[in-house]
Each structure stands twice: as structure tokens, then as C-alpha cells.
Amino acid sequence: MEPVPVSTGVKKPHCLVDLLSDFTELPEITMNLRPAIMDTSTTISTLPPEVLQEIFLSQQGFISAKIPSSLVAHSCVMSRSCRPFCWMAVAHVSRQWRAIALACPPLWSRFIVSTDPQWTAELLHRSHNAPLSIMLRLSAERMDAQQHSFAMVLNHLSRMEDLHIFRQTHFSLSSTIVSMLSGSAPRLRSFSSCGFLASSDLSEATDIPEILSSENSPRLESLILSGPFNGSRFTGPCASTLKHLKMVTLTKQFCRWPSTPVLLDVLSAAPLLETLIFERRELDATSVSYVHTGMRHATLPRLHALTLASADVEVVAILDHLDLPAIRHFEVSTELTRVTATAFASALQRHFAALGAIHELNIEGASTTRAQSLQLCGSGIDHATPREGAHWRLLTLHLQECHDAMQVAGEICRRLALHEVRSLQVECTLISAPAWAVLLELMHNLSELVVIGTLAAMHLPRALRPGTVSISDAGNASSSSVRDAARRLSLIPLPALHSLRLTRVCMDQRCDDSSGALDSYSQGLCASLRARGEAGAPLQELTLDHCYTGSMNKTTLLALRSAMEELGGRLSETCDGDVI
């Protein structure tokens, strides 16, 4: 017999007061005792120093902000002013607590480099030999003093665990500081550079600090590089240990780094990579050539999250040279201007099989004065979340400059495994009949369909209407009734559909609401509903959301309500979320 789990009843404290108050509420102290004779031998002052230090390190009240890559900064280090319950305030409670706080090096090992060298020296002294987590926000204010403080920090590079540099000014670090970044950092696990490596002249080359070489930082796991990197000798940073890589580059004219071959070289030498974000922001894409030959093929057996944002030619080139057997989150953003919809969908198809079953699919196409855009999002069930109905985003595609957004969506959907889709939402101005046929062809388990757009549902009645069985098949005496029923069911588009919601859809072609006659669209929708009922796949609920104002007459409503009632279903009309 398995043991019965027992709840400990321990709640996670929100602040120091909540946690310390628990020690004053013990039953043996407060139960049936008068305050005058209460035992004081178990008060806070008698807690061991190690326990108090753990309390200091675990309180959210001490932390003012969490910086990416697990770097934590404390308010009193950032601004030299104490907030309620911050750890510096703890050091001023009593002599005992101050001594305990000063004897806890991890309390002083995470900070933002200030413009006060004396304060920086004091923090380094109090942190002793604890691993350092440092952030430098390079600004124009007192830059010389700030760089002096940073130089003091770099003297302790051997115990650096997290280092993050953000440049907020056009001034750069001195050559002395840059040379110090070429030292050995055996503990370094996370490094971020946002703008620091950028040159003020985009035509100049940029060298990646040698701190990122595999010899200097053999434990590096997380790397973030952001800025206009115009040239570099950097080809493989600590490839054997790298797990998370993010690169956001700015390209101008022919200065492109990393090029597609260089990026693939880096990836091919990083077998432990788990997440990859690559964004290329181009100032002048017309002068950039994407023709590459002899590029290396990279296999990333542990990569589960990929984000690509670049020109369509480069995206296709990268995807064609990657094997991602463990991918679980796939996101692509590009302008589809040079690659056809078929070629782009074919490049994506290689990676769709590893994503898993898609249960929710949202397709949104928008038209602007210049071109169309397409956003396609697919989600699957998150088995790691116990909450019922929780979904995990598997696929996200953002496409701009599409000549026919729904045609592109159709090409992509042809290559997706859509048989597990339960919910589909389509938002577009107009969808052609062939596009509807492609979208609905393989969704045999779709139960809920939401259509949004003025003319988006124009061809939907025909797409939902069951096909007809030929006379020869229907008159075949050898076929059983079960086989006939299965054949008829196979001819029904979306046989599991039970809920249809139309939002902001034009239901009538007539302007005269008092005409008292059904137009061809309403007639076709009613006919399709009845045909589905006769074929054994009746619709249970039809919802019209903002579909009647100024366009749909009473005759249309009565006809649709009558058709739904004949099938045992219901018609709902909503306006601003209220059911009418």
C-alpha cells in the first residue's frame, strides 16, 4: 500500500515579518499561557545565525528586481536607499543581526556597478569569495567613476558567475576595461551584452571579448548578444556547455554578422543547446545577399524552443540545415517576399512532426494599405500542468507582405497534422472557397469553429455541406447499412462539429430589412444545417455575435432558429457579450 501523503501545513512567507511571526505562534508558547509568564527561551533572538542567514536570503521583500539570466539586484545596492524589509534594513535591527548579515557573503555578491568606487570596494570586501552576479548599466553620468568601479569588479573575474553589460550611451568602455574582459572566468555561467559590443561606426569591425572563448569560460551556459555586430572572430563560444543562446543583430548594407554559415557553425558545435533565439533587424535588406553554399548541417538533439526572425531566404536556409528532434516551441517571423508559399511551407514541414498534436489553431489574416499579414498559432495540451484544459503554445508564425495570406495558410495547413484540432478560430476579411476546403479537409475531430470577419464566412455554408453518395454506391445491395453510414459520415466536412460562432459576419446581401425574404447566403446556410442533420452530424449550437445589426432581417433569424430547432440545437444571438 502506498503511503498517504501528509500535508506539512507550511506556507511560503511573503516577507520577513510573515516568516518571523511563525516562530512566535508556536502552540507550546501561546497556548493557555499568560503574557507575564510566557517562556522567552524560543524567541527570535535565540535562532542560530545560519537559520537567520537562510531567512535573509529567501525573502522576496529583500529583492527589488529580477534581471534576466537569474541576476538579482537589491534596492539598497542600486540606489543606496532602503525599502521596507530589504536586507540592509535587517543589518540595522540589532548588533547581532548586523553581525550575522555582514558574515553572510551571498547577501553582498549580487549588485549593479555604481558610480561610487568606495561602495563597490566595500561590497567586494563583504562578499569575500562568494560567486559574483554583476550588472553594469553604462551611462554618461559619472562614466569615469563607473568604469573605475567596474575595473575593480573585473579584478575578481575568477569568481564571476553572472555578468551582464548594458550600454545606455554612445560612449564605450575604455580599452583597459575591454582587455580585462579577456581574462579567465572559470565560474562564468551567464553572460549578456546589450549594445556594449556595438561600434559607433557601423562600418567598423567588432571583436567579441575573449572571455567567451572555451578556454576562458568552460562553464558558460547562457549567452545573450544584442547590437550591430559588424565583424568578429567569434565562431563557437563554449560550445560544449552552451544551453541558451540569444542573438539580436542589426544589419546595415553588407555588414552582416553572424552570416548564415557562421551561425550554423556555432550551432553545429553546441549539442547541449536547449533554447535558441535569433533575430536579425535590417536597415537596408535590399543590398544584402543571402546566397550561401557549403553550409554546415547542425543537429540539436536537446533544442526544445526555437525563435527565428529574419528575411524569408535566411529563415528557409537555416531551417533546411537544422535537425530538431526535440522541438516543442516553434516561432518564425518574416516577410514573405522572396520565397514562395510552397517553398516556405516545405521548409517548415520538416520540423512539424516533432511538435506534437495541435489541439487549438488560430488563423488571423489582416490587410493593410500595402500588403497582407498572416498570424498562425497552434497550441497543444500541456501534460505537465495538472489544470484541466491547460494548453501550451507549439507553433507561432508571423508573416508580413503576403500576396494571399489565406493561400499561405492553406499551404502551411496542408503540411500540419490537423486531425487532433478541437478548436479553430479564423479571423479574416474574406476567405476563398479553396482555402476553406483546405482548412476543413483534415480536421475530423474539430468540435468548435469561430469565424470572425465581414465576409469571412461567405463560402462557409458550401464548405460545411455534406457530399453526396453516387447512385451506384447507394443502390449496391451488397453494402451493409453500417458501411453506408460510414461512407456518408466520411463525406461530411467536420463530422464532430457541434458549435459554430459567427462574429461580425455579413449574413445578408439585401439592404432592405423589411423585404421578408431570404437571400442566397441565408438559404445556403439553412440548407447546409439541415443536410448535416440528415447525414448524422447535426450542429448543436449556432451563435451569431454582432451579425444582425443593419444587415440581417427577422426572416433570416426565424429561418435559422427554425433550422436549429429541427435539429435539436439552439440559436444564440449576442451583443456586447449579452445573450439576446
Side-chain angles (χ1 to χ4, degrees):
M1 179 180 298
E2 297 182 358
V4 178
V6 179
S7 175
T8 60
V10 178
K11 63 179 182 179
K12 185 178 180 180
H14 296 286
C15 65
L16 182 66
V17 174
D18 292 339
L19 189 142
L20 296 182
S21 63
D22 292 341
F23 292 96
T24 61
E25 297 177 358
L26 299 177
E28 59 268 22
I29 296 177
T30 60
M31 187 178 298
N32 299 325
L33 292 177
R34 292 180 299 173
I37 60 174
M38 185 177 296
D39 183 8
T40 59
S41 63
T42 58
T43 59
I44 302 302
S45 60
T46 62
L47 287 176
E50 295 81 4
V51 175
L52 278 177
Q53 288 179 351
E54 290 298 324
I55 294 176
F56 296 164
L57 292 172
S58 63
Q59 296 313 295
Q60 292 297 321
F62 299 155
I63 302 170
S64 63
K66 287 188 176 181
I67 302 170
S69 303
S70 303
L71 178 63
V72 180
H74 302 282
S75 60
C76 44
V77 176
M78 295 171 57
S79 61
R80 299 295 305 272
S81 61
C82 296
R83 297 182 181 181
F85 313 121
C86 74
W87 54 259
M88 180 168 279
V90 173
H92 291 78
V93 171
S94 64
R95 292 182 179 179
Q96 179 194 16
W97 280 31
R98 179 174 178 80
I100 293 174
L102 293 177
C104 183
L107 276 176
W108 313 94
S109 64
R110 301 172 180 265
F111 58 88
I112 295 177
V113 177
S114 71
T115 56
D116 187 348
Q118 293 183 353
W119 176 237
T120 301
E122 180 65 21
L123 289 172
L124 293 171
H125 172 71
R126 295 181 184 184
S127 63
H128 293 282
N129 292 321
L132 294 175
S133 295
I134 306 298
M135 186 175 75
L136 171 65
R137 288 178 175 171
L138 191 61
S139 61
E141 182 181 358
R142 298 189 63 186
M143 176 174 293
D144 293 339
Q146 189 181 38
Q147 296 205 46
H148 179 52
S149 295
F150 190 44
M152 298 171 60
V153 172
L154 292 181
N155 286 326
H156 299 263
L157 193 61
S158 60
R159 59 189 181 105
M160 192 77 66
E161 191 170 70
D162 301 286
L163 179 58
H164 307 274
I165 305 175
F166 299 87
R167 192 177 77 168
Q168 300 172 312
T169 176
H170 65 279
F171 296 103
S172 301
L173 290 175
S174 64
S175 58
T176 303
I177 298 292
V178 175
S179 63
M180 296 180 71
L181 286 171
S182 300
S184 176
R187 292 186 177 184
L188 188 67
R189 295 184 180 273
S190 176
F191 180 84
S192 298
S193 171
C194 297
F196 155 59
L197 299 176
S199 173
S200 58
D201 185 357
L202 290 178
S203 64
E204 296 180 359
T206 304
D207 291 334
I208 303 299
E210 294 183 7
I211 189 178
L212 298 180
S213 64
S214 56
E215 295 80 11
N216 287 336
S217 52
R219 297 184 180 181
L220 187 65
E221 296 182 355
S222 177
L223 176 61
I224 300 177
L225 299 176
S226 175
F229 308 110
N230 311 313
S232 175
R233 297 188 298 265
F234 168 69
T235 57
C238 305
S240 61
T241 59
L242 199 62
K243 295 183 179 180
H244 309 282
L245 175 62
K246 179 178 180 180
M247 305 182 74
V248 181
T249 70
L250 180 65
T251 298
K252 182 177 182 181
Q253 297 180 353
F254 294 98
C255 301
R256 300 180 68 252
W257 186 91
S259 63
T260 308
V262 170
L263 176 64
L264 290 172
D265 288 342
V266 172
L267 299 181
S268 63
L272 301 182
L273 203 62
E274 298 177 1
T275 64
L276 171 62
I277 299 176
F278 179 75
E279 300 180 11
R280 190 188 299 279
R281 302 171 184 174
E282 299 189 353
L283 301 180
D284 187 7
T286 58
S287 61
V288 177
S289 174
Y290 291 91
V291 179
H292 303 293
T293 58
M295 289 186 292
R296 183 175 299 185
H297 203 91
T299 300
L300 303 176
R302 298 190 179 186
L303 192 77
H304 59 81
L306 172 65
T307 299
L308 291 178
S310 185
D312 51 1
V313 179
E314 185 169 33
V315 168
V316 170
I318 293 174
L319 295 179
D320 283 341
H321 290 80
L322 285 182
D323 284 335
L324 310 173
I327 193 68
R328 289 295 178 270
H329 177 79
F330 192 90
E331 183 172 354
V332 172
S333 177
T334 186
E335 291 186 3
L336 206 60
T337 56
R338 305 186 185 184
V339 175
T340 64
T342 302
F344 182 75
S346 298
L348 299 175
Q349 184 177 5
R350 297 182 57 253
H351 308 285
F352 284 162
L355 284 176
I358 295 178
H359 292 80
E360 291 185 355
L361 186 64
N362 295 336
I363 301 175
E364 180 179 349
S367 298
T368 63
T369 55
R370 295 188 301 172
Q372 290 184 313
S373 64
L374 171 68
Q375 178 171 313
L376 190 147
C377 303
S379 303
I381 296 178
D382 185 7
H383 297 285
T385 303
R387 182 171 57 87
E388 183 179 357
H391 285 74
W392 175 260
R393 179 65 58 82
L394 299 174
L395 175 66
T396 304
L397 299 179
H398 301 275
L399 306 179
Q400 297 86 33
E401 301 292 333
C402 295
H403 297 291
D404 189 343
M406 296 313 299
Q407 179 185 358
V408 177
E411 290 288 346
I412 295 174
C413 289
R414 287 180 189 273
R415 293 161 173 80
L416 280 173
L418 301 180
H419 55 277
E420 292 295 332
V421 175
R422 264 58 172 188
S423 174
L424 171 64
Q425 177 173 306
V426 181
E427 182 174 0
C428 189
T429 304
L430 177 63
I431 306 176
S432 63
W436 270 124
V438 172
L439 293 179
L440 306 185
E441 182 179 3
L442 299 176
M443 300 186 190
H444 301 297
N445 292 313
L446 187 71
S447 59
E448 180 182 0
L449 174 61
V450 179
V451 182
I452 305 173
T454 307
L455 301 176
M458 186 58 59
H459 301 284
L460 185 61
R462 183 176 180 180
L464 293 177
R465 185 175 302 175
T468 58
V469 181
S470 65
I471 298 177
S472 59
D473 290 339
N476 190 350
S478 63
S479 61
S480 64
S481 59
V482 176
R483 295 181 60 184
D484 279 342
R487 180 178 292 274
R488 288 194 299 270
L489 191 62
S490 65
L491 296 174
I492 304 175
L494 307 180
L497 183 67
H498 65 76
S499 175
L500 173 62
R501 185 184 188 94
L502 305 179
T503 300
R504 299 193 302 274
V505 169
C506 181
M507 299 291 297
D508 262 333
Q509 300 301 308
R510 301 178 182 273
C511 297
D512 186 5
D513 291 349
S514 61
S515 60
L518 290 178
D519 68 326
S520 58
Y521 179 83
S522 301
Q523 291 178 0
L525 183 57
C526 291
S528 295
L529 294 177
R530 290 189 173 92
R532 292 182 64 87
E534 295 173 358
L539 196 67
Q540 298 178 10
E541 184 174 3
L542 173 61
T543 302
L544 306 178
D545 184 11
H546 291 79
C547 295
Y548 50 86
T549 303
S551 64
M552 189 166 55
N553 57 33
K554 296 181 180 179
T555 304
T556 300
L557 291 176
L558 292 175
L560 291 174
R561 182 174 286 110
S562 176
M564 290 298 299
E565 291 176 352
E566 291 177 11
L567 303 174
R570 61 189 296 266
L571 172 68
S572 300
E573 309 163 52
T574 64
C575 180
D576 298 328
D578 298 326
V579 179
I580 300 177

